Amino acid sequence: MRLGLAFLVLALPAAGQTAHRFPEAPFPAPGTSYRLVRTGQESAVDRALGLERLHQEPTIHRSVRLEGEVEVGRDSNRLRIDRASLANGPRRVAIDLVGRELEGRGWLFDVPGGLGDGEASLLRQTLHPMGSIGVLRSACRPVEPVAPGDFWLADAEPFVHALGLDPEHVDLDASSATCHLERVYGRGDRTFGVLGFDVDITPRIVDGHRVWRGRLRYQGRVESAIDAAVPWGRAEFTYDLSTETRFRVDGRIVSVLRRTTGRGTEEILPPADAPPAPRSERSGP
């Protein structure tokens, strides 16, 4: 359900827990430089029902890893790629992007030409803000102070944007998002917080086709400085999309069932020539 309320605490803080305020702030701020490490894996499989017999396509597996240095500008960001590799099915290739510079607005970077459709698609997805610490922090950010153990309902639409979906292609009234503050800890001279999210989205249109029924589950956590004064942090996420699309073929109805699952991470680290950041104290997924 799309919420009219901006914030609703579902659990009272445990006795003795301190409440923390997460300010709204540019993240990272213009002028910041940092090292970016992103990984992504995805699997997809289609089944067709309504034909003479069940037809199932082979499962497609893809993965990508990208490392580089980012300079954050006031109007655009610049990413210099140091390493990029991609596996598309059984084929693993080093993408010839080392030393290339990509420019983009916000968290969207342009994908260069010369790649196959599968490689370009997955690289575009990896460069997309789906797993971005800044985007997820903003989507999860509570408007009131919260303590570890607090849960709140959030607007699902920012997560829809983070996934790269058109809000017109999802049923926002049937979608929901719940966030919580997992824990708070000291790291160097900063206080860091780990925000968790669990989003349930009802898609209407996927890949240009109207969905008969479907569900997208998007879960993860984002770790960052509470005051957003430094960009160092980590995000990790998973998604699980199941859809049924119906077509008429030779006078009969054919249902195509698709399931796409994936996971990814993003780490923001100091530039290569800067002192190392304190180690993360994150727990396992």
Side-chain angles (χ1 to χ4, degrees):
M1 179 179 66
R2 193 177 183 185
L3 299 174
L5 296 175
F7 181 86
L8 175 63
V9 174
L10 302 179
L12 295 175
Q17 295 276 30
T18 301
H20 300 268
R21 182 179 293 278
F22 286 73
E24 186 173 9
F27 184 88
T32 304
S33 296
Y34 61 87
R35 183 159 188 81
L36 176 72
V37 180
R38 278 199 173 188
T39 66
Q41 299 88 40
E42 183 177 87
S43 299
V45 62
D46 286 350
R47 291 185 300 152
L49 306 177
L51 300 173
E52 294 297 332
R53 58 188 177 86
L54 172 68
H55 176 75
Q56 179 166 321
E57 294 288 338
T59 302
I60 299 172
H61 300 286
R62 299 186 297 180
S63 64
V64 67
R65 180 180 179 89
L66 183 142
E67 299 180 30
E69 302 277 338
V70 176
E71 295 179 5
V72 182
R74 190 161 300 277
D75 298 317
S76 65
N77 296 339
R78 185 179 299 275
L79 166 63
R80 190 189 74 240
I81 296 177
D82 296 333
R83 176 200 252 169
S85 65
L86 183 143
N88 192 19
R91 189 166 64 97
R92 176 169 289 279
V93 294
I95 306 175
D96 186 19
L97 295 177
V98 175
R100 294 281 295 273
E101 290 192 351
L102 308 182
E103 192 160 345
R105 289 187 171 274
W107 298 92
L108 290 172
F109 291 96
D110 295 328
V111 174
L115 300 176
D117 290 344
E119 287 86 351
S121 174
L122 194 58
L123 182 57
R124 189 175 294 109
Q125 178 178 310
T126 303
L127 292 170
H128 194 274
M130 178 187 294
S132 160
I133 294 171
V135 171
L136 291 176
R137 183 187 188 277
S138 177
C140 290
R141 190 184 71 85
V143 298
E144 299 291 342
V146 293
D150 282 351
F151 285 73
W152 58 94
L153 301 180
D155 191 347
E157 188 167 351
F159 293 98
V160 170
H161 286 292
L163 285 162
L165 301 176
D166 185 338
E168 296 295 324
H169 292 174
V170 305
D171 186 345
L172 287 172
D173 290 331
S175 302
S176 63
T178 303
C179 302
H180 68 278
L181 178 56
E182 191 172 293
R183 62 195 180 89
V184 171
Y185 65 91
R187 188 164 143 195
D189 59 353
R190 299 286 176 187
T191 301
F192 279 67
V194 181
L195 297 169
F197 61 90
D198 188 347
V199 184
D200 209 326
I201 296 171
T202 301
R204 287 175 169 166
I205 298 174
V206 175
D207 294 335
H209 301 293
R210 183 164 294 279
V211 173
W212 180 260
R213 58 182 173 180
R215 183 189 185 196
L216 171 58
R217 191 84 180 272
Y218 181 35
Q219 298 172 291
R221 56 167 61 96
V222 56
E223 175 182 350
S224 68
I226 286 180
D227 62 3
V230 294
W232 328 134
R234 177 183 171 89
E236 54 190 42
F237 65 92
T238 63
Y239 57 91
D240 188 336
L241 171 64
S242 297
T243 61
E244 178 181 355
T245 307
R246 295 187 175 183
F247 303 91
R248 184 174 293 277
V249 179
D250 296 332
R252 67 177 64 180
I253 299 297
V254 176
S255 292
V256 176
L257 309 179
R258 170 173 291 184
R259 186 175 184 198
T260 303
T261 59
R263 63 177 56 246
T265 64
E266 174 179 278
E267 287 188 272
I268 291 183
L269 306 168
D273 57 353
R279 289 182 61 84
S280 167
E281 298 181 14
R282 70 185 182 91
S283 58

